Amino acid sequence: MGGVEDEEPASKRMKLSSEELRRLSNGSTIKETVAGSPGDLMARPLQSEGGEEVVGSKGVIKKVEFVRIIAKALYSLGYIKSGAHLEEESGIPLHSSVVNVFMRQILEGNWDESVITLRNIGLTDEKTIKSASFLILEQKFLEFLDEEKVMDALKTLRTEIAPLSVNNSRVRELSSYIVSPSYHSSVRSPKQDTLRARSRSKLLEELQKLLPPTVMIPEGRLEHLVEQALVLQRDACIFHNSLDKEMSLYSDHQCGRDQIPSQALQILQAHTDEVWFLKFSHNGKYLASSSNDQSAIIWEVYETGVSLKHKLSGHQKPLSSVSWSPDDHQLLTCGSEEVIRRWDVSSGECLHVYEKTGFGMVSCGWSPDGKWIFSGLNDKSICMWELDGKELECWKGQRSLKISDMEITGDGKQIISICRETAILLLDREAKVERFIEEDQPITSFSLSRDSRFLLVNLLNQEIHLWNIEGDLKLVSKYRGHKRSRFIIRSCFGGLDEAFIASGSEDSLVYIWHRGTGELIESLPGHSGAVNCVSWNPANPHMLASASDDRTIRIWGLSNLSKSTKQKGPQSNGIHYCNGGS
Amino acid sequence: MDVDPRLYELIAVNDNDIHNIVMSYLVHNCFKETVESFISCTGMKQPSDRLEDMETRKRIYQFALEGNALKAIELTEQLAANLLEKNKDLHFDLLSLYFVEQVCSRKCTEALEFAQMKLTPFGKEQKYVEKLEDFMALLAYEEPEKSPMFHLLSLEYRQHVADSLNRAILAHANHPTYTAMERLIQQTTVVRHCLNQERGKDGPHPFSLKDFLKS
């Protein structure tokens, strides 16, 4: 506005010195210099309550700090001229002149002067000053040693470093360096691998960490703040299910619903009765399902879809569950209060039958090293066998219920089972310690996360509870929405980094929640009977399988996919038992 | 509950035994003149061979106590050729005495060179590494008396090394390495301690020489 100001904005800015900076920060001079500035390309500065200039719509970013970290980032990127220009144009120096002198002295190796300058920087903590001096003098010492000036090094140690009385154990180490520098220089040249002193810029970085951040801006500060924001965005993204969804700085990250499996790509009909259980193998290449029809089926997962590999018959009772060996070469199947059978996946052959006369098994599982198996019996005990059938151990007493799940943690240390109506037992095999998850409601089933740190518990009252089982047992989240009143419904972890929870339901829908926020993101129709069990492919976050009383298994995938394969509806391999819907 | 003093009366102590105990103490500590006068007073037999070695041991002990380790080492080598080779710990301790003397006289260069030549070879064995570092750390301080390792400069340390050397020399010549007196006191203390442990407060109190001498 004013003519005079218009003509000389640049020179006005150059005049700002560190004293004027101080004045700037309490706001008095600002209105004069900025009010008339032409071509206002800069962020419009506001006044915060504290009197310092701020930028951004929320008034929490201090302008001086903002400009300084930008300048630091420019220098880190190698844009020295831009950085210097920014300092000049904004009038906000990255470092005070004392600090600039200090940094130069360090890089040039003027150790004694730098120690003096250190005292002038204006640090108040004597301890920091001593620690920083120690680092500088240590560098001086080590560089002397590298140049083989042993007596100079010794003098530095005795007269400058030791009197600081900090870090005595390091002083000890340095003494031993003086005595035996020759250990390493035998074969190789002394300069090569054996330089004791690190580079001077590394020293500067170490000093940066020691000094308060207002004195020397920490390395990579701007990058760190941006990464923080990106991580927060990613965690808040409830549909985040694909690795290749890159994050961009241009707009807030938000995946679309299209990343979650929501389209039934295939309907598998090979069981002749209700399908109660299913599970993908660890490598995601196979799927095993078990049914009321007393058989289990191994399906193979291909690029183009899932197809039947083997039908495993032999049990005389409905099959309650299956369990994959850690290497996915073998499968255990458990008959309801019957026997356990071990099968070879590639041949479909039954390799062994585990039974205990007079008792029936209700659940089964593998040890993480694949060398033994364990099972819950209908007398509420838990038994362990070697693969050849030799019984290893047996815990009697109320360890499990008649119909119950059983898991073992990835380290092989804890066995988890439902031991009472409302409690889950976590038994540490070695330490013989028992921990309990107590619920108010009867528990119907549970499932263990891949990293063995969390347990998903299904309750009678139609809630699913997520517990942290590492260290102290803690309830983390609750998920609601599905229906369960009469049967056992199972849920599972799944998706990228197991960020989702999926569950079956008695209303024939498959439910999917975002694990972190607890938000229900999908309820998928399609089955015509209660959905008993779901399993998410561990190798493919876009594939989900569900097992239902309608005798079918549905394979769910991304809805784009089915559009691209030009199929009108889901592929099926036979007669539908009832109207599948879309 | 202490032992009834009347029980002591029942044990007869032979004069000769007492003389031997005193003699062993005197010989061990190289009190040559006292040994000679003791012999003439009691009419004991003279342990001829021991007199010579006493003189030598005394000199070695003195040198070690003063910190003149090189002289002590020289004499020891003359007296018992392989002794130091077989007792590496002792050898290290003696060399370190010399090192400490140099450090105390502020002769840093000499100390450093000596350490590099004589002490660092020990560092190849793990058990000497920490000891070596302890000594090297002394170099870092202009006033080693004020350093964390000041105990290495003390008279107690030199005494300890001198004692060890003395015992090693005696062992080398197949003489007893401990005086009878020491052994007796040690024995009483240990026995009393065991009884005390076993019987708790009913048992005898731990042995205190001071109290014993007063009673």
Side-chain angles (χ1 to χ4, degrees):
Chain A
M1 264 90 184
V4 176
E5 288 160 294
D6 273 342
E7 275 157 35
E8 32 170 314
S11 54
K12 255 207 172 158
R13 288 210 180 90
M14 269 172 19
K15 274 195 224 143
L16 287 172
S17 66
S18 38
E19 287 144 301
E20 281 163 299
L21 256 184
R22 248 178 291 125
R23 265 191 282 139
L24 252 186
S25 61
N26 62 14
S28 46
T29 340
I30 293 172
K31 296 196 178 99
E32 293 163 354
T33 47
V34 164
S37 47
D40 211 337
L41 296 164
M42 308 187 304
R44 212 170 276 277
L46 314 165
Q47 284 294 104
S48 76
E49 283 169 16
E52 282 183 54
E53 225 176 306
V54 289
V55 293
S57 52
K58 297 206 198 302
V60 290
I61 306 176
K62 302 198 185 85
K63 179 175 170 199
V64 171
E65 292 188 356
F66 195 53
V67 171
R68 284 176 85 195
I69 62 171
I70 294 176
K72 178 81 187 186
L74 286 173
Y75 284 120
S76 299
L77 288 167
Y79 303 134
I80 313 291
K81 282 197 270 190
S82 301
H85 197 74
L86 174 58
E87 285 190 70
E88 193 189 305
E89 205 179 359
S90 65
I92 298 172
L94 175 58
H95 294 126
S96 68
S97 47
V98 181
V99 173
N100 277 331
V101 168
F102 178 70
M103 285 168 60
R104 202 181 54 237
Q105 284 169 338
I106 297 287
L107 291 172
E108 289 174 2
N110 295 340
W111 310 120
D112 299 330
E113 290 96 336
S114 70
V115 173
I116 299 172
T117 315
L118 183 64
R119 296 213 156 254
N120 292 340
I121 286 181
L123 299 168
T124 47
D125 186 5
E126 187 64 31
K127 202 162 150 256
T128 315
I129 296 179
K130 280 198 171 168
S131 305
S133 306
F134 188 92
L135 279 179
I136 298 171
L137 292 166
E138 186 188 21
Q139 181 78 8
K140 179 179 175 187
F141 173 86
L142 293 171
E143 287 197 2
F144 275 143
L145 277 189
D146 286 337
E147 294 162 17
E148 304 196 14
K149 295 184 180 156
V150 179
M151 292 321 290
D152 287 324
L154 186 59
K155 179 158 168 252
T156 310
L157 183 60
R158 286 168 66 92
T159 59
E160 294 170 23
I161 300 182
L164 286 173
S165 304
V166 290
N167 207 346
N168 278 319
S169 51
R170 183 65 180 155
V171 170
R172 221 175 117 98
E173 270 179 25
L174 297 177
S175 296
S176 67
Y177 290 169
I178 294 192
V179 178
S180 53
S182 52
Y183 269 169
H184 305 283
S185 64
S186 45
V187 182
R188 305 177 256 205
S189 80
K191 289 299 179 189
Q192 244 174 50
D193 264 39
T194 62
L195 277 183
R196 295 268 189 202
R198 62 201 143 189
S199 74
R200 289 177 185 169
S201 32
K202 272 237 127 222
L203 172 64
L204 203 51
E205 264 180 56
E206 292 289 311
L207 286 166
Q208 253 163 14
K209 286 184 204 158
L210 205 57
L211 299 175
T214 47
V215 170
M216 261 200 213
I217 311 285
E219 199 67 41
R221 184 66 192 155
L222 184 59
E223 294 88 330
H224 172 79
L225 287 169
V226 172
E227 280 176 343
Q228 237 180 26
L230 289 176
V231 167
L232 269 152
Q233 282 175 19
R234 190 189 62 202
D235 289 343
C237 173
I238 56 173
F239 299 119
H240 192 84
N241 198 23
S242 305
L243 267 180
D244 51 19
K245 285 286 160 180
E246 273 161 19
M247 305 198 72
S248 160
L249 294 181
Y250 299 133
S251 57
D252 279 2
H253 178 79
Q254 186 64 250
C255 286
R257 222 160 245 273
D258 58 320
Q259 294 306 307
I260 310 294
S262 52
Q263 188 92 10
L265 300 180
Q266 257 188 288
I267 302 182
L268 307 174
Q269 295 167 136
H271 282 295
T272 51
D273 207 323
E274 297 168 357
V275 189
W276 285 359
F277 191 91
L278 87 176
K279 194 127 190 203
F280 279 99
S281 63
H282 300 95
N283 57 12
K285 292 193 186 148
Y286 297 100
L287 176 64
S289 60
S290 69
S291 163
N292 200 16
D293 69 4
Q294 302 180 359
S295 76
I297 296 183
I298 298 181
W299 309 82
E300 193 153 354
V301 178
Y302 295 103
E303 286 276 321
T304 46
V306 174
S307 66
L308 192 146
K309 188 174 165 80
H310 291 300
K311 190 154 183 163
L312 312 173
S313 317
H315 281 279
Q316 307 294 317
K317 290 271 190 72
L319 266 66
S320 52
S321 63
V322 300
S323 176
W324 288 95
S325 68
D327 63 4
D328 293 333
H329 289 334
Q330 296 176 66
L331 187 72
L332 289 178
T333 55
C334 182
S336 311
E337 300 192 49
E338 197 219 11
V339 303
I340 291 180
R341 283 171 177 263
R342 180 162 59 90
W343 309 80
D344 179 276
V345 171
S346 33
S347 65
E349 223 184 289
C350 178
L351 299 174
H352 203 281
V353 179
Y354 302 88
E355 48 192 325
K356 216 168 173 190
T357 352
F359 299 103
M361 327 287 207
V362 299
S363 57
C364 62
W366 287 85
S367 69
D369 61 4
K371 300 215 175 110
W372 45 270
I373 66 162
F374 55 91
S375 152
L377 274 61
N378 58 2
D379 70 341
K380 303 184 186 170
S381 63
I382 299 179
C383 276
M384 275 163 60
W385 287 269
E386 268 179 32
L387 288 187
D388 58 11
K390 186 170 112 183
E391 189 174 308
L392 283 175
E393 230 182 301
C394 207
W395 289 283
K396 304 230 185 274
Q398 182 99 32
R399 305 291 181 191
S400 62
L401 291 183
K402 269 195 135 177
I403 298 170
S404 87
D405 289 336
M406 188 160 304
E407 294 269 18
I408 189 165
T409 53
D411 56 9
K413 289 201 183 137
Q414 296 185 74
I415 295 198
I416 307 175
S417 74
I418 305 176
C419 64
R420 281 199 308 278
E421 251 203 349
T422 56
I424 291 179
L425 161 69
L426 294 101
L427 168 65
D428 187 321
R429 288 174 43 226
E430 294 161 18
K432 313 271 186 225
V433 167
E434 297 182 346
R435 296 189 294 164
F436 297 90
I437 290 180
E438 306 269 0
E439 288 279 5
D440 308 322
Q441 290 278 327
I443 299 167
T444 56
S445 65
F446 66 80
S447 141
L448 186 63
S449 68
R450 202 162 47 220
D451 57 11
S452 298
R453 290 167 60 204
F454 293 91
L455 203 64
L456 202 59
V457 180
N458 282 56
L459 300 176
L460 196 74
N461 70 349
Q462 304 184 133
E463 278 187 7
I464 302 178
H465 285 185
L466 178 64
W467 286 81
N468 183 331
I469 60 171
E470 230 181 8
D472 290 330
L473 301 171
K474 227 170 37 184
L475 178 61
V476 176
S477 291
K478 297 186 183 179
Y479 308 97
R480 288 186 197 89
H482 66 300
K483 299 273 174 284
R484 187 232 89 84
S485 50
R486 288 170 289 152
F487 310 126
I488 294 191
I489 298 293
R490 294 202 140 84
S491 52
C492 70
F493 293 89
L496 190 65
D497 297 331
E498 296 203 323
F500 301 95
I501 306 286
S503 176
S505 170
E506 278 173 27
D507 61 7
S508 320
L509 302 175
V510 173
Y511 284 80
I512 302 180
W513 294 265
H514 181 244
R515 177 173 161 182
T517 57
E519 202 173 314
L520 177 65
I521 49 182
E522 284 286 7
S523 44
L524 308 173
H527 279 294
S528 48
V531 180
N532 297 313
C533 186
V534 288
S535 178
W536 210 309
N537 190 325
N540 180 353
H542 301 154
M543 184 184 289
L544 181 63
S546 55
S548 165
D549 277 351
D550 68 5
R551 309 178 194 191
T552 69
I553 296 171
R554 281 184 177 239
I555 305 289
W556 305 85
L558 301 185
S559 47
N560 294 348
L561 213 58
S562 88
K563 286 192 194 117
S564 65
T565 55
K566 297 199 169 71
Q567 294 286 337
K568 268 264 166 117
Q571 305 170 45
S572 77
N573 62 342
I575 318 158
H576 292 224
Y577 276 91
C578 24
N579 199 357
S582 64
Chain B
M1 172 229 143
D2 215 341
V3 178
D4 187 351
R6 286 173 297 177
L7 289 173
Y8 291 146
E9 309 299 329
L10 300 174
I11 314 286
V13 184
N14 192 319
D15 258 355
N16 251 340
D17 291 333
I18 309 267
H19 292 163
N20 282 331
I21 290 174
V22 174
M23 183 66 94
S24 112
Y25 174 79
L26 294 174
V27 168
H28 181 101
N29 289 292
C30 313
F31 297 131
K32 187 169 170 212
E33 281 140 20
T34 318
V35 166
E36 285 169 345
S37 88
F38 189 66
I39 287 176
S40 62
C41 284
T42 57
M44 276 181 81
K45 249 188 357 207
Q46 208 181 36
S48 52
D49 56 330
R50 307 294 316 271
L51 287 175
E52 255 183 60
D53 106 305
M54 259 198 285
E55 184 60 43
T56 323
R57 278 191 294 117
K58 182 175 173 184
R59 292 178 66 212
I60 294 176
Y61 188 90
Q62 283 296 93
F63 282 132
L65 201 61
E66 289 165 15
N68 190 347
L70 293 184
K71 197 79 184 139
I73 291 176
E74 189 194 318
L75 290 177
T76 310
E77 304 265 272
Q78 281 176 6
L79 182 59
N82 308 336
L83 188 111
L84 290 176
E85 267 172 47
K86 291 197 199 145
N87 284 295
K88 290 194 83 176
D89 288 356
L90 187 55
H91 197 184
F92 180 84
D93 286 341
L94 282 169
L95 290 171
S96 68
L97 280 186
Y98 179 72
F99 175 78
V100 166
E101 200 202 315
Q102 298 300 94
V103 168
C104 286
S105 338
R106 311 291 193 256
K107 294 185 187 148
C108 298
T109 335
E110 286 91 339
L112 182 59
E113 278 172 13
F114 178 79
Q116 281 172 327
M117 269 184 15
K118 295 278 186 178
L119 290 178
T120 49
F122 283 89
K124 294 195 185 116
E125 277 178 73
Q126 187 55 38
K127 63 173 174 166
Y128 293 113
V129 168
E130 203 179 318
K131 270 179 148 178
L132 193 54
E133 285 180 0
D134 276 344
F135 284 102
M136 294 308 110
L138 286 170
L139 276 176
Y141 297 89
E142 289 200 293
E143 293 179 338
E145 306 82 38
K146 299 199 180 149
S147 76
M149 266 69 58
F150 66 92
H151 59 276
L152 297 172
L153 285 69
S154 66
L155 180 63
E156 284 86 17
Y157 180 70
R158 293 201 294 279
Q159 222 158 31
H160 163 78
V161 177
D163 275 338
S164 306
L165 182 54
N166 194 28
R167 290 192 213 279
I169 295 173
L170 285 166
H172 191 263
N174 280 323
H175 291 312
T177 53
Y178 282 89
T179 61
M181 191 99 75
E182 271 175 306
R183 279 294 192 228
L184 283 170
I185 299 177
Q186 286 165 345
Q187 167 118 20
T188 314
T189 314
V190 168
V191 168
R192 288 279 278 245
H193 180 77
C194 286
L195 284 175
N196 186 282
Q197 295 267 307
E198 254 178 64
R199 299 215 242 145
K201 58 181 170 63
D202 283 341
H205 301 300
F207 185 69
S208 153
L209 185 58
K210 214 197 276 184
D211 293 342
F212 178 76
L213 291 174
K214 277 193 205 152
S215 67

